[in-house]
């Protein structure tokens, strides 16, 4: 409630009165002036929002299936793992000067509504021996050279999701090609 009202107010006061929802589930303001950025950042912070992960060569907004928690086919609700992974990666200084953007997605079932299999790192919920876990996919993308991610792990305990995302981030940071954006991943 208060967050969406604040976003609408910011759009009215500083932008063109429209909120744009991106495919990564971010909200964009258009037609803002650079000298109003500080005021906008303060207004976002008032309601617990940040622009971190919204652009640049950073860990981007981590997405989940839009039906998380209510999908009749989901193995389990992935929301807590998205929040945990976001809470860990977004504050890290090392998340903000990567070779390219780092996109992560969590899907609750194999319908893959979050597009985990075309993300840099994707998690698809999977139960094994009555325990929650994820099939892990890496290396996907939707750019000019679109590709489906490779299966990295058939099953990993759900409690390892954040550590896996951090390990892949570190590898990407260390080994990603910063000279050629098309080969960065």
């Amino acid at each position: 409630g208060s967050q969406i009202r604040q976003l609408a107010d910011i759009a009215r006061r500083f932008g063109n009165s429209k909120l744009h929802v991106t495919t990564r589930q971010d909200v964009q303001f258009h037609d803002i002036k650079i000298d109003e950025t500080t005021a906008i950042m303060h207004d976002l912070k008032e309601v617990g929002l940040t622009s971190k992960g919204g652009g640049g060569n950073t860990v981007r907004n981590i997405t989940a299936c839009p039906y998380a928690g209510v999908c009749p086919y989901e193995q389990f609700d992935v929301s807590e793992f998205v929040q945990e992974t976001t809470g860990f990666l977004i504050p890290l200084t090392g998340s903000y000067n990567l070779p390219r953007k780092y996109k992560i997605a969590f899907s609750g079932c194999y319908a893959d509504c979050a597009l985990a299999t075309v993300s840099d790192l994707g998690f698809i919920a999977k139960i094994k021996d009555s325990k929650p876990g994820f099939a892990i996919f890496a290396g996907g993308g939707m750019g000019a050279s679109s590709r489906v991610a490779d299966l990295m792990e058939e099953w990993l305990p759900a409690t390892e999701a954040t550590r896996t995302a951090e390990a892949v981030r570190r590898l990407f940071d260390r080994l990603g090609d910063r000279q050629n954006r098309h080969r960065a991943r």
Side-chain angles (χ1 to χ4, degrees):
S2 65
Q3 289 180 336
I4 195 68
R5 281 190 293 278
Q6 183 77 310
L7 291 172
D9 184 56
I10 291 168
R12 273 191 300 276
R13 289 186 298 133
F14 299 107
N16 64 3
S17 296
K18 295 178 183 173
L19 296 173
H20 301 264
V21 180
T22 72
T23 56
R24 297 230 37 95
Q25 303 170 357
D26 281 317
V27 174
Q28 294 178 341
F29 304 110
H30 289 202
D31 301 327
I32 61 170
K33 295 180 178 81
I34 192 72
D35 60 336
E36 295 172 333
T37 305
T38 302
I40 292 168
M41 300 299 252
H42 286 297
D43 288 353
L44 290 171
K45 188 176 180 185
E46 278 180 13
V47 292
L49 296 174
T50 180
S51 65
K52 288 183 174 183
N57 293 334
T58 66
V59 172
R60 290 297 183 93
N61 183 44
I62 300 172
T63 60
C65 172
Y67 305 109
V70 296
C71 174
Y73 306 109
E74 71 185 359
Q75 298 294 295
F76 56 88
D77 184 354
V78 299
S79 300
E80 73 177 273
F81 300 99
V82 172
Q83 291 170 356
E84 178 185 312
T85 305
T86 298
F88 183 82
L89 291 177
I90 294 294
L92 291 179
T93 303
S95 291
Y96 292 92
N97 188 25
L98 297 171
R100 283 284 278 135
K101 49 195 161 194
Y102 178 34
K103 297 178 179 180
I104 303 169
F106 285 79
S107 285
C109 72
Y110 270 93
D112 192 17
C113 296
L115 304 176
T117 57
V118 290
S119 295
D120 295 317
L121 185 64
F123 296 85
I124 297 183
K126 191 174 179 180
I127 302 290
K128 181 178 176 185
D129 300 326
S130 302
K131 293 184 176 127
F134 294 102
I136 313 292
F137 294 85
M142 292 294 290
S145 300
S146 297
R147 74 182 298 270
V148 174
D150 297 317
L151 179 64
M152 191 168 104
E153 288 287 334
E154 293 230 9
W155 187 85
L156 191 79
T159 56
E160 297 295 316
T162 298
R163 287 175 28 168
T164 301
E166 168 58 359
V168 171
R169 186 205 60 80
R170 286 181 182 204
L171 284 170
F172 183 41
D173 188 26
R174 192 170 74 229
L175 303 174
D177 188 340
R178 286 183 162 80
Q179 305 306 312
N180 183 345
R181 290 174 52 90
H182 301 292
R183 298 185 61 173
R185 293 186 175 108

